Amino acid sequence: MVEIARNVDPDNHALYEGVPAADHRLERLRQLLVGGEISELSRVTHLLDEPEQLATAVGNVLPEATARASHTQLGEALAPAVERAAQRSIQKNPNTLTDILYPVFLPAIRKSIGEKIDQTFQSLNESLRHIFTWHGLKWRFEAWRTGTSFSAVVLKHSLIYRVEHVFLISRASGLLIAHVTSQDATSEDPQLISSMLSAIQDFVKDSFKEKENSGLDTIRFGELRLWSEVGQFATLVAVIRGNPPEELHEVIRDVLLRIHQESSRALERFDGDSSQLPGVETQLQTCVELQHMDSKEGFPWLVVTAVLLALIVAGGWYFLSWQSAHRWQAYLSRLAAQPGIVVSDQKIRGGDFYVAGLRDPLAADPQSLLPGTDVDPARVHSNWQFYQSFEPQFVLKRLSASLAPPDSVRLSVVDGRIVAEGEATTTWINRARAAAQQLSAGGPVFDISRVRDVSAEDRWQAYVSRLQTQPGIIVADQNVRDGQFYITGLRDPLAADPQSLLAETQVDPARVHASWQFYQSLEPQFVLKRLTASLTPPDSVRLSVVNDRIVAAGEATTAWINRARAAAQQLSAGGPVFDISGVRDVSPEERWQAYVSRLETQPGIIVAQQNVRDGQFYITGLRDPLAVDPQSLLSGTQVDPARVHASWQFYQSLEPAFVLKRLTASLYPMDKVRLSIVNGRIVAEGEAPDTWIDRARAAARQLSEGGPEFDISKVRDVSPDARAAEHWQYYVSRLEAQPGIIVAQQSARGGQFYISGLRDPLAADPQALLSGTQVDPARVHSQWQFYQSLDPKFVVKRLTASLSPPKSVRLSIVQGRIVIVGEAPAGWISRAQAAADQLSADGVVLDVSQLSELNLAELNQLREAIQTTDIYFSSGRVVPGPEQTPVLDRLADQLKEFAENARKAGVTARFMLTGHSDITGRETANASISAARAETVRALLNKRGVAPELLQVRGAGTFEPAVPENENSPTGNSTNRRVSVTVNLE
Amino acid sequence: MLQKKICMLGGFAVGKTSLVRRFVQSIFSENYLTTVGVKIDKKSVVFPDKTVDLILWDLAGEDDIGSFRVSYVRGATGLVLVVDGTRPATLAVALTLRERCEAEFGAMPFILLFNKSDLTDRWAISDGEIDELKQRGWQIYLTSALSGEHVDDAFRQLASMVAK
Ligand SMILES: Nc1nc2c(ncn2[C@@H]2O[C@H](COP(=O)(O)OP(=O)(O)O)[C@@H](O)[C@H]2O)c(=O)[nH]1
Ligand SMILES: [Mg+2]
């Protein structure tokens, strides 16, 4: 029982101390009495301890529990959590909540704005209440009639505007969903406008970091305003002319909201097919119907006029309608009488008049016929199509416009035909003929037969007068009949051919009928011609016309003089005088002597001997092959060649002219050398290569024996330049063959050489390539721009410089690709990969697939050894005792080895020396001691050959003890007075 | 009215603007390209059973892929990827741009144009390379904005792809 009690209440445990602790019978009893409860208890405990099970259990009852809980308490309890949840959600993505709330808050906002406006109206209402004006009355009436407040009417009338376009634009794609315009508004392509608008909105949003949904809501261009309302899936843009009231925003928003409510799914899924959103246009239509145009009426007149009008309208309606119909008929018959106007249809409907038909653009304007008919132009709706009337007077007008007849032509209508009369040029007549041809298909006849072609006649007259001035041509008669030309007359066979003169005049030869008779003109120049032809005077006789007489002068043989005399005799009967008294009779001997003396004056011909024996002529002498041929000089001398016996020997004349010719033939002077004779000397000037100069010099030497002087001192030896140019070309081609060098331009001018181009910094130095080319570096002007060659060889060079590959990798070029093979640390491999990515944009392949990560095991061991080394110090000392020297020696060796191995692997090792102190003394002192210890060790390691830039120092003070300090120890822990080393790889 | 938004994508000076200019008569000035970064043109492509209005967005300055405004591609139904056939590196640019768009907006139909086909002497894309891309089932055209070669065909093809 005690045990039971103890189990039921542990406090009893203390009370009944003396009871044995374990009695199996009691255990049995307990099982019997409360066994069920115990197992139930443990199940519940388990349930409470296991979070998952507990959650399931609570979850089952939570909805029920919430429903039953006291509402105020539950609300208070949940409020903070819900607020936090909402905050989180907004921070994460504001759109989620916006999308959820959108349908809710828009009407809410609308409502509150509406209330605000109502309030404004109310106060306006107050102030306007007592104003009693015509407008006031009118507006009050309107307010009563429409059931709106008076102030709304007042406001409405002071705002004048019109919504001209409404665009509904998909927010996702900027595509136009629907577009409506007011009746007479125009615009460019609405699809493009909508896309551009949305692009501009995107742009503004991006550029000014505007928040989502707050795009451009108003833009203004002069008279036009763009108002946009952004909805969940679509934006509505209204283009408004004038001065819209603020409430219009609300109306537009309303329309947008309605569209969203009705077609939200279709809007969300809009993919450019507007047939999926059929009802939208009608919705938008309500927007463009929004407008208000207030007319500027004056107060009393309006009333009076209105009343009068009303009376008139009421009283005279039937009369008026009858009268207007009557007037309309009058107008119509007037129209019908107009040439060039064809009325095809007309009717009167609802007091309006409709007329349709055809009109010639040249006919009277139907509109202009209205005044005077008392028909109200505003009620006339006409539909005219243009056509071309064939009525003669229209055709006449059109012809006058298109043919532009000259003043000398008159067009008129005669019996329904169009007749042209007068004079015109051929071209105009041809055009008129073409027009007549065209008209023949259905139009009136266009008769141009009475137009005289003046141009042909003018030309004919010009031809005739030209003939009349021709010597040897006598025009007897000419006339023009029926476009044909007739001419008769006389012509000398030696005169110009009338036919050939015709060819130059553009007179149609087929229309010319000429009849010419030959005659011998006795005009002196014709006689002269005939005499020249019949007498064939020798070269030494000249015939000419002097004062209408024909005069012969000169020298001739007796035989010729006799024939001339006979001719003169003949002419004496009616012809001009032929005077031969001026011709001297010369004997054959005289003529021979004249020939010989002519030969003697010839350069290059030397007459040695000549004589005349038995009517035969003998001559001997020398002649230069380059001199004139004596034989050819005979002709024209009237010496009979058959009686001449000549014997010539060739020789070389040393006369400068001949020498010059010979030199020209033998030396082939270059283009740039000019030979000339100056004061009996032959002078060469210009430029030539040395080989030519050598040959010229030899010729000059030859000539020096008896010949004229040959002066070549003025020829400049250009060979050095030529040779330099050759060398330069060689240098240029050498450069061009260099990889990594691109020659853009090169030239040689005035002995200087210019070159420009691109070079890779890694390519050979162009300057260095000069050596050995014999090009004078002082005359070379080069301009090189650096560029990076994509030649794999250069890329390899660059990579080698920039990546500094570890020894364990090899770069090579395989079929134009760069391949890296070997082992490298991960950091280096990723740099190589980055380089490969960059190069691929330039089209160069860098293959890093054969790189594998370097095995760092060996390094790791060394690192371990280094990091476990500590340098110890005596209390308060910053210099380690002598017993630390071997430790420092070994550490220095290890650091150097590690640094070297790391470098080989392509990484940089850095060692951090951290100084520490024990906790005795002030903390500030400890901090500086610890730093000083690290500095000392750095200096000591440096002395042992470790590069200082690899060693970094810091003081840790007492903060990083190696072993926990005993607060009570007066000396502090010597293990903590140390410098430790850590290794970092970069 | 069936409209589809199409974006022209490709590296600097590959000929996007020229291709659009060749395909359609513009109403907007090309100034928009520099100011707003995009120019929009429309071309109606007529098929026997329907007419598709292509709304072409020509984006400026994609030279630097980092500055590319992906947001302009939102809502697009198709892409025109343009490569300069004389500059092989522009192929990678075009493909990267496409990847960026697909990552953002999912896969969409596209055509791949190797432009400047008139510059045969400087052509730098091998037939093998093009065949390999064709193997992937891509629609590829060799176009010239200069001569107009294949420009209409290519856009027509895209229109039929996006109108499905
Ligand atoms: N030869 C040739 N030149 C072209 C062609 N397409 C464009 N270009 C030229 O390439 C340059 C860049 O064109 P552009 O259309 O401005 O390129 P975008 O930057 O992609 O818009 C311009 O000088 C064009 O004249 C083509 O098919 N052939
Ligand atoms: Mg462009």
Short mmCIF file of all heavy atoms in Angstrom, two decimals, chain A residues 171-173 175-177 188-189 191-192 195-196 198-200 202-203 206-207 270-274 841-842, chain B residues 1-5 27-28 32 35-36 38-42 53 55 57 69 71-72 74-77 89:
data_model
loop_
_atom_site.label_atom_id
_atom_site.label_comp_id
_atom_site.label_asym_id
_atom_site.label_seq_id
_atom_site.Cartn_x
_atom_site.Cartn_y
_atom_site.Cartn_z
N ARG A 171 -0.93 44.38 -71.06
CA ARG A 171 0.23 44.78 -70.28
C ARG A 171 1.42 43.87 -70.51
O ARG A 171 2.55 44.29 -70.43
CB ARG A 171 -0.10 44.83 -68.79
CG ARG A 171 -0.67 46.16 -68.40
CD ARG A 171 -0.79 46.29 -66.92
NE ARG A 171 0.49 46.26 -66.25
CZ ARG A 171 0.63 46.06 -64.96
NH1 ARG A 171 -0.41 45.88 -64.21
NH2 ARG A 171 1.83 46.04 -64.41
N ALA A 172 1.13 42.60 -70.78
CA ALA A 172 2.23 41.67 -70.93
C ALA A 172 3.02 41.95 -72.20
O ALA A 172 4.24 42.02 -72.17
CB ALA A 172 1.71 40.25 -70.95
N SER A 173 2.32 42.12 -73.31
CA SER A 173 3.03 42.18 -74.58
C SER A 173 3.00 43.55 -75.23
O SER A 173 3.70 43.76 -76.20
CB SER A 173 2.39 41.18 -75.55
OG SER A 173 1.03 41.51 -75.72
N LEU A 175 0.64 44.57 -76.85
CA LEU A 175 -0.18 44.45 -78.06
C LEU A 175 -1.52 45.12 -77.85
O LEU A 175 -2.05 45.16 -76.73
CB LEU A 175 -0.40 42.98 -78.42
CG LEU A 175 0.83 42.23 -78.92
CD1 LEU A 175 0.49 40.78 -79.18
CD2 LEU A 175 1.39 42.87 -80.17
N LEU A 176 -2.07 45.63 -78.94
CA LEU A 176 -3.34 46.33 -78.89
C LEU A 176 -4.47 45.31 -78.80
O LEU A 176 -4.57 44.40 -79.62
CB LEU A 176 -3.50 47.17 -80.15
CG LEU A 176 -4.79 47.96 -80.25
CD1 LEU A 176 -4.81 49.06 -79.21
CD2 LEU A 176 -4.94 48.55 -81.63
N ILE A 177 -5.32 45.46 -77.80
CA ILE A 177 -6.46 44.56 -77.68
C ILE A 177 -7.65 45.14 -78.43
O ILE A 177 -8.33 44.45 -79.17
CB ILE A 177 -6.82 44.34 -76.20
CG1 ILE A 177 -5.63 43.74 -75.46
CG2 ILE A 177 -8.05 43.45 -76.08
CD1 ILE A 177 -5.78 43.70 -73.96
N GLU A 188 -2.39 57.58 -86.73
CA GLU A 188 -1.54 56.59 -87.39
C GLU A 188 -1.96 55.22 -86.87
O GLU A 188 -2.83 55.10 -86.03
CB GLU A 188 -0.07 56.84 -87.01
CG GLU A 188 0.48 58.16 -87.50
CD GLU A 188 0.94 58.09 -88.95
OE1 GLU A 188 0.76 57.03 -89.59
OE2 GLU A 188 1.44 59.10 -89.46
N ASP A 189 -1.30 54.23 -87.38
CA ASP A 189 -1.59 52.87 -87.03
C ASP A 189 -1.75 52.63 -85.52
O ASP A 189 -0.80 52.78 -84.76
CB ASP A 189 -0.43 52.03 -87.55
CG ASP A 189 -0.78 50.58 -87.58
OD1 ASP A 189 -1.40 50.12 -86.61
OD2 ASP A 189 -0.45 49.93 -88.58
N GLN A 191 -2.09 49.98 -83.78
CA GLN A 191 -1.31 48.85 -83.22
C GLN A 191 0.08 49.30 -82.84
O GLN A 191 0.60 48.98 -81.78
CB GLN A 191 -1.20 47.74 -84.28
CG GLN A 191 -2.50 47.00 -84.47
CD GLN A 191 -2.37 46.03 -85.65
OE1 GLN A 191 -1.89 46.40 -86.70
NE2 GLN A 191 -2.79 44.81 -85.45
N LEU A 192 0.68 50.09 -83.77
CA LEU A 192 2.03 50.54 -83.50
C LEU A 192 2.05 51.51 -82.34
O LEU A 192 2.92 51.48 -81.48
CB LEU A 192 2.57 51.24 -84.74
CG LEU A 192 3.07 50.26 -85.78
CD1 LEU A 192 3.62 51.02 -86.97
CD2 LEU A 192 4.15 49.40 -85.19
N SER A 195 1.91 49.66 -79.05
CA SER A 195 3.17 49.03 -78.67
C SER A 195 4.18 50.07 -78.24
O SER A 195 4.91 49.90 -77.27
CB SER A 195 3.74 48.23 -79.84
OG SER A 195 2.97 47.08 -80.03
N MET A 196 4.24 51.17 -78.98
CA MET A 196 5.22 52.19 -78.66
C MET A 196 4.91 52.80 -77.30
O MET A 196 5.81 53.07 -76.52
CB MET A 196 5.14 53.25 -79.75
CG MET A 196 6.45 53.95 -79.99
SD MET A 196 7.73 52.87 -80.60
CE MET A 196 9.16 53.62 -79.86
N SER A 198 3.51 51.36 -74.80
CA SER A 198 3.89 50.47 -73.71
C SER A 198 5.40 50.38 -73.61
O SER A 198 5.95 50.27 -72.52
CB SER A 198 3.24 49.11 -73.85
OG SER A 198 3.95 48.34 -74.75
N ALA A 199 6.10 50.49 -74.76
CA ALA A 199 7.55 50.49 -74.69
C ALA A 199 8.04 51.71 -73.94
O ALA A 199 8.95 51.63 -73.12
CB ALA A 199 8.14 50.46 -76.09
N ILE A 200 7.39 52.84 -74.21
CA ILE A 200 7.82 54.07 -73.54
C ILE A 200 7.54 53.96 -72.04
O ILE A 200 8.34 54.36 -71.21
CB ILE A 200 7.12 55.29 -74.17
CG1 ILE A 200 7.67 55.50 -75.56
CG2 ILE A 200 7.33 56.52 -73.33
CD1 ILE A 200 6.99 56.58 -76.35
N ASP A 202 7.50 51.19 -70.31
CA ASP A 202 8.57 50.32 -69.79
C ASP A 202 9.83 51.12 -69.58
O ASP A 202 10.51 51.00 -68.57
CB ASP A 202 8.89 49.21 -70.80
CG ASP A 202 7.94 48.05 -70.66
OD1 ASP A 202 7.07 48.11 -69.77
OD2 ASP A 202 8.08 47.09 -71.43
N PHE A 203 10.12 51.93 -70.60
CA PHE A 203 11.36 52.69 -70.57
C PHE A 203 11.39 53.63 -69.37
O PHE A 203 12.36 53.68 -68.63
CB PHE A 203 11.47 53.48 -71.87
CG PHE A 203 12.58 54.47 -71.86
CD1 PHE A 203 13.90 54.05 -71.93
CD2 PHE A 203 12.32 55.82 -71.77
CE1 PHE A 203 14.93 54.95 -71.91
CE2 PHE A 203 13.34 56.73 -71.76
CZ PHE A 203 14.65 56.30 -71.83
N ASP A 206 11.82 51.65 -66.22
CA ASP A 206 13.20 51.19 -66.04
C ASP A 206 14.12 52.34 -65.70
O ASP A 206 14.98 52.24 -64.83
CB ASP A 206 13.71 50.54 -67.32
CG ASP A 206 13.16 49.15 -67.49
OD1 ASP A 206 12.34 48.75 -66.62
OD2 ASP A 206 13.53 48.48 -68.46
N SER A 207 13.93 53.45 -66.42
CA SER A 207 14.91 54.52 -66.29
C SER A 207 14.80 55.26 -64.99
O SER A 207 15.78 55.71 -64.45
CB SER A 207 14.74 55.51 -67.43
OG SER A 207 14.69 54.84 -68.64
N PHE A 270 -4.55 36.77 -73.17
CA PHE A 270 -4.55 37.41 -74.48
C PHE A 270 -3.24 37.12 -75.21
O PHE A 270 -2.16 37.34 -74.68
CB PHE A 270 -4.72 38.92 -74.32
CG PHE A 270 -4.70 39.64 -75.63
CD1 PHE A 270 -5.75 39.52 -76.52
CD2 PHE A 270 -3.62 40.43 -75.99
CE1 PHE A 270 -5.73 40.19 -77.73
CE2 PHE A 270 -3.59 41.10 -77.19
CZ PHE A 270 -4.65 40.97 -78.06
N ASP A 271 -3.34 36.59 -76.44
CA ASP A 271 -2.13 36.25 -77.19
C ASP A 271 -2.12 36.93 -78.54
O ASP A 271 -1.55 36.43 -79.50
CB ASP A 271 -2.03 34.73 -77.36
CG ASP A 271 -3.11 34.20 -78.26
OD1 ASP A 271 -4.08 34.94 -78.51
OD2 ASP A 271 -2.98 33.06 -78.74
N GLY A 272 -2.78 38.07 -78.64
CA GLY A 272 -2.73 38.80 -79.90
C GLY A 272 -3.95 38.57 -80.76
O GLY A 272 -4.10 39.20 -81.80
N ASP A 273 -4.82 37.66 -80.37
CA ASP A 273 -6.00 37.40 -81.19
C ASP A 273 -7.18 38.12 -80.57
O ASP A 273 -7.76 37.68 -79.58
CB ASP A 273 -6.25 35.88 -81.23
CG ASP A 273 -7.38 35.56 -82.18
OD1 ASP A 273 -7.99 36.51 -82.73
OD2 ASP A 273 -7.66 34.37 -82.36
N SER A 274 -7.54 39.29 -81.15
CA SER A 274 -8.53 40.11 -80.48
C SER A 274 -9.95 39.57 -80.65
O SER A 274 -10.87 40.06 -80.01
CB SER A 274 -8.44 41.56 -80.96
OG SER A 274 -8.38 41.57 -82.35
N ALA A 841 34.33 34.21 -77.82
CA ALA A 841 33.59 35.30 -78.45
C ALA A 841 34.36 35.87 -79.63
O ALA A 841 33.80 36.44 -80.55
CB ALA A 841 33.32 36.40 -77.43
N ASP A 842 35.71 35.71 -79.60
CA ASP A 842 36.52 36.18 -80.72
C ASP A 842 36.75 35.08 -81.73
O ASP A 842 37.53 35.24 -82.67
CB ASP A 842 37.89 36.66 -80.21
CG ASP A 842 37.74 37.92 -79.37
OD1 ASP A 842 36.82 38.71 -79.67
OD2 ASP A 842 38.54 38.11 -78.44
N MET B 1 -8.49 40.65 -85.91
CA MET B 1 -7.13 41.18 -85.79
C MET B 1 -6.28 40.18 -85.01
O MET B 1 -6.57 39.88 -83.86
CB MET B 1 -7.21 42.52 -85.05
CG MET B 1 -5.91 43.24 -84.99
SD MET B 1 -6.13 44.95 -84.46
CE MET B 1 -6.64 44.79 -82.76
N LEU B 2 -5.27 39.64 -85.68
CA LEU B 2 -4.39 38.70 -85.02
C LEU B 2 -2.98 39.32 -85.04
O LEU B 2 -2.41 39.54 -86.11
CB LEU B 2 -4.39 37.36 -85.77
CG LEU B 2 -3.52 36.27 -85.16
CD1 LEU B 2 -3.93 36.00 -83.73
CD2 LEU B 2 -3.61 35.00 -85.98
N GLN B 3 -2.49 39.64 -83.85
CA GLN B 3 -1.19 40.28 -83.81
C GLN B 3 -0.24 39.44 -82.97
O GLN B 3 -0.66 38.75 -82.06
CB GLN B 3 -1.23 41.65 -83.15
CG GLN B 3 -2.48 42.44 -83.34
CD GLN B 3 -2.57 43.51 -82.27
OE1 GLN B 3 -1.71 44.36 -82.15
NE2 GLN B 3 -3.62 43.48 -81.48
N LYS B 4 1.04 39.54 -83.28
CA LYS B 4 2.05 38.83 -82.50
C LYS B 4 3.24 39.75 -82.30
O LYS B 4 3.71 40.39 -83.24
CB LYS B 4 2.51 37.57 -83.25
CG LYS B 4 1.41 36.55 -83.47
CD LYS B 4 0.93 35.92 -82.17
CE LYS B 4 -0.29 35.04 -82.41
NZ LYS B 4 -0.85 34.52 -81.16
N LYS B 5 3.70 39.77 -81.07
CA LYS B 5 4.90 40.58 -80.78
C LYS B 5 6.14 39.75 -81.09
O LYS B 5 6.25 38.61 -80.65
CB LYS B 5 4.89 40.99 -79.31
CG LYS B 5 6.17 41.66 -78.86
CD LYS B 5 6.02 42.27 -77.50
CE LYS B 5 7.34 42.71 -76.92
NZ LYS B 5 7.19 43.31 -75.60
N ILE B 27 6.94 53.95 -89.74
CA ILE B 27 6.35 55.25 -89.48
C ILE B 27 7.08 55.95 -88.35
O ILE B 27 7.03 57.16 -88.23
CB ILE B 27 4.84 55.18 -89.16
CG1 ILE B 27 4.58 54.54 -87.81
CG2 ILE B 27 4.08 54.47 -90.25
CD1 ILE B 27 3.14 54.75 -87.35
N PHE B 28 7.79 55.21 -87.53
CA PHE B 28 8.53 55.86 -86.45
C PHE B 28 9.94 56.16 -86.89
O PHE B 28 10.53 55.43 -87.66
CB PHE B 28 8.58 54.96 -85.21
CG PHE B 28 7.26 54.84 -84.53
CD1 PHE B 28 6.59 53.64 -84.48
CD2 PHE B 28 6.66 55.95 -83.95
CE1 PHE B 28 5.37 53.52 -83.86
CE2 PHE B 28 5.43 55.84 -83.32
CZ PHE B 28 4.80 54.64 -83.27
N TYR B 32 14.03 56.74 -82.10
CA TYR B 32 13.52 56.03 -80.94
C TYR B 32 14.53 55.00 -80.45
O TYR B 32 14.63 54.72 -79.28
CB TYR B 32 12.22 55.31 -81.28
CG TYR B 32 11.04 56.23 -81.31
CD1 TYR B 32 10.61 56.81 -82.47
CD2 TYR B 32 10.36 56.53 -80.14
CE1 TYR B 32 9.53 57.66 -82.50
CE2 TYR B 32 9.28 57.38 -80.16
CZ TYR B 32 8.86 57.94 -81.34
OH TYR B 32 7.80 58.77 -81.35
N THR B 35 16.89 56.78 -78.28
CA THR B 35 16.34 57.43 -77.10
C THR B 35 15.64 56.43 -76.19
O THR B 35 15.96 56.32 -75.01
CB THR B 35 15.36 58.53 -77.50
OG1 THR B 35 14.44 57.99 -78.43
CG2 THR B 35 16.08 59.67 -78.14
N VAL B 36 14.71 55.69 -76.74
CA VAL B 36 13.94 54.77 -75.90
C VAL B 36 14.56 53.38 -75.90
O VAL B 36 14.24 52.55 -75.06
CB VAL B 36 12.48 54.73 -76.39
CG1 VAL B 36 11.63 53.85 -75.52
CG2 VAL B 36 11.90 56.12 -76.44
N VAL B 38 14.24 51.22 -78.30
CA VAL B 38 13.47 50.26 -79.05
C VAL B 38 12.72 51.01 -80.13
O VAL B 38 12.36 52.16 -79.97
CB VAL B 38 12.48 49.49 -78.13
CG1 VAL B 38 11.55 50.44 -77.44
CG2 VAL B 38 11.67 48.48 -78.91
N LYS B 39 12.55 50.33 -81.26
CA LYS B 39 11.72 50.90 -82.32
C LYS B 39 10.74 49.82 -82.74
O LYS B 39 11.09 48.65 -82.80
CB LYS B 39 12.56 51.31 -83.51
CG LYS B 39 11.73 52.03 -84.58
CD LYS B 39 12.64 52.65 -85.62
CE LYS B 39 13.19 51.61 -86.56
NZ LYS B 39 12.28 51.28 -87.63
N ILE B 40 9.51 50.23 -82.98
CA ILE B 40 8.49 49.24 -83.27
C ILE B 40 7.93 49.46 -84.67
O ILE B 40 7.64 50.59 -85.05
CB ILE B 40 7.39 49.32 -82.21
CG1 ILE B 40 8.00 48.98 -80.86
CG2 ILE B 40 6.25 48.37 -82.52
CD1 ILE B 40 7.17 49.32 -79.69
N ASP B 41 7.82 48.38 -85.41
CA ASP B 41 7.24 48.46 -86.73
C ASP B 41 6.22 47.35 -86.88
O ASP B 41 6.23 46.38 -86.13
CB ASP B 41 8.32 48.30 -87.81
CG ASP B 41 9.15 49.55 -87.92
OD1 ASP B 41 8.59 50.56 -88.30
OD2 ASP B 41 10.34 49.48 -87.58
N LYS B 42 5.35 47.55 -87.86
CA LYS B 42 4.32 46.53 -88.07
C LYS B 42 4.38 46.04 -89.49
O LYS B 42 4.64 46.81 -90.40
CB LYS B 42 2.95 47.14 -87.81
CG LYS B 42 1.85 46.09 -87.90
CD LYS B 42 0.49 46.71 -87.68
CE LYS B 42 -0.11 47.16 -88.98
NZ LYS B 42 -1.51 47.58 -88.84
N ASP B 53 -0.58 40.20 -88.07
CA ASP B 53 0.18 41.44 -87.96
C ASP B 53 1.38 41.19 -87.07
O ASP B 53 1.22 40.94 -85.87
CB ASP B 53 -0.69 42.55 -87.35
CG ASP B 53 -1.79 42.96 -88.30
OD1 ASP B 53 -1.63 42.73 -89.51
OD2 ASP B 53 -2.82 43.48 -87.84
N ILE B 55 4.20 42.56 -84.95
CA ILE B 55 4.63 43.81 -84.32
C ILE B 55 6.10 43.60 -83.97
O ILE B 55 6.43 42.85 -83.06
CB ILE B 55 3.82 44.10 -83.05
CG1 ILE B 55 2.33 44.00 -83.34
CG2 ILE B 55 4.19 45.44 -82.47
CD1 ILE B 55 1.76 45.08 -84.19
N TRP B 57 9.69 44.42 -82.67
CA TRP B 57 10.43 45.25 -81.72
C TRP B 57 11.91 45.11 -82.05
O TRP B 57 12.47 44.03 -81.91
CB TRP B 57 10.18 44.81 -80.27
CG TRP B 57 8.80 45.10 -79.77
CD1 TRP B 57 7.63 44.81 -80.39
CD2 TRP B 57 8.45 45.72 -78.53
NE1 TRP B 57 6.58 45.22 -79.62
CE2 TRP B 57 7.05 45.78 -78.47
CE3 TRP B 57 9.19 46.25 -77.46
CZ2 TRP B 57 6.37 46.33 -77.39
CZ3 TRP B 57 8.52 46.78 -76.38
CH2 TRP B 57 7.11 46.83 -76.36
N ARG B 69 17.89 44.73 -72.21
CA ARG B 69 16.66 44.89 -71.43
C ARG B 69 15.74 43.71 -71.70
O ARG B 69 14.97 43.72 -72.65
CB ARG B 69 15.91 46.13 -71.89
CG ARG B 69 16.35 47.41 -71.25
CD ARG B 69 15.49 48.52 -71.86
NE ARG B 69 16.22 49.77 -71.87
CZ ARG B 69 16.20 50.64 -70.87
NH1 ARG B 69 15.49 50.40 -69.81
NH2 ARG B 69 16.88 51.75 -70.96
N SER B 71 13.23 42.98 -70.22
CA SER B 71 11.82 43.31 -69.98
C SER B 71 11.11 43.64 -71.28
O SER B 71 9.91 43.47 -71.39
CB SER B 71 11.73 44.48 -69.02
OG SER B 71 12.24 45.63 -69.61
N TYR B 72 11.86 44.12 -72.29
CA TYR B 72 11.24 44.44 -73.56
C TYR B 72 10.71 43.19 -74.27
O TYR B 72 9.90 43.27 -75.17
CB TYR B 72 12.22 45.14 -74.49
CG TYR B 72 12.34 46.62 -74.22
CD1 TYR B 72 13.51 47.32 -74.51
CD2 TYR B 72 11.26 47.34 -73.70
CE1 TYR B 72 13.61 48.67 -74.28
CE2 TYR B 72 11.36 48.68 -73.46
CZ TYR B 72 12.52 49.36 -73.74
OH TYR B 72 12.63 50.70 -73.53
N ARG B 74 9.13 40.79 -72.83
CA ARG B 74 7.94 40.26 -72.19
C ARG B 74 6.76 40.28 -73.15
O ARG B 74 6.52 41.25 -73.84
CB ARG B 74 7.61 41.07 -70.93
CG ARG B 74 6.50 40.42 -70.15
CD ARG B 74 6.13 41.10 -68.84
NE ARG B 74 7.00 42.14 -68.37
CZ ARG B 74 6.70 43.45 -68.46
NH1 ARG B 74 5.59 43.84 -69.03
NH2 ARG B 74 7.53 44.34 -67.99
N GLY B 75 6.02 39.18 -73.18
CA GLY B 75 4.83 39.14 -74.03
C GLY B 75 5.12 38.82 -75.48
O GLY B 75 4.20 38.77 -76.28
N ALA B 76 6.39 38.62 -75.83
CA ALA B 76 6.70 38.29 -77.22
C ALA B 76 6.30 36.86 -77.53
O ALA B 76 6.33 35.99 -76.65
CB ALA B 76 8.19 38.48 -77.49
N THR B 77 5.88 36.62 -78.76
CA THR B 77 5.52 35.27 -79.18
C THR B 77 6.62 34.64 -80.01
O THR B 77 6.64 33.42 -80.17
CB THR B 77 4.24 35.30 -80.04
OG1 THR B 77 3.38 36.28 -79.51
CG2 THR B 77 3.57 33.96 -80.03
N ALA B 89 31.60 35.29 -84.05
CA ALA B 89 31.33 35.48 -82.63
C ALA B 89 29.89 35.94 -82.38
O ALA B 89 29.34 35.73 -81.30
CB ALA B 89 32.30 36.50 -82.05
#
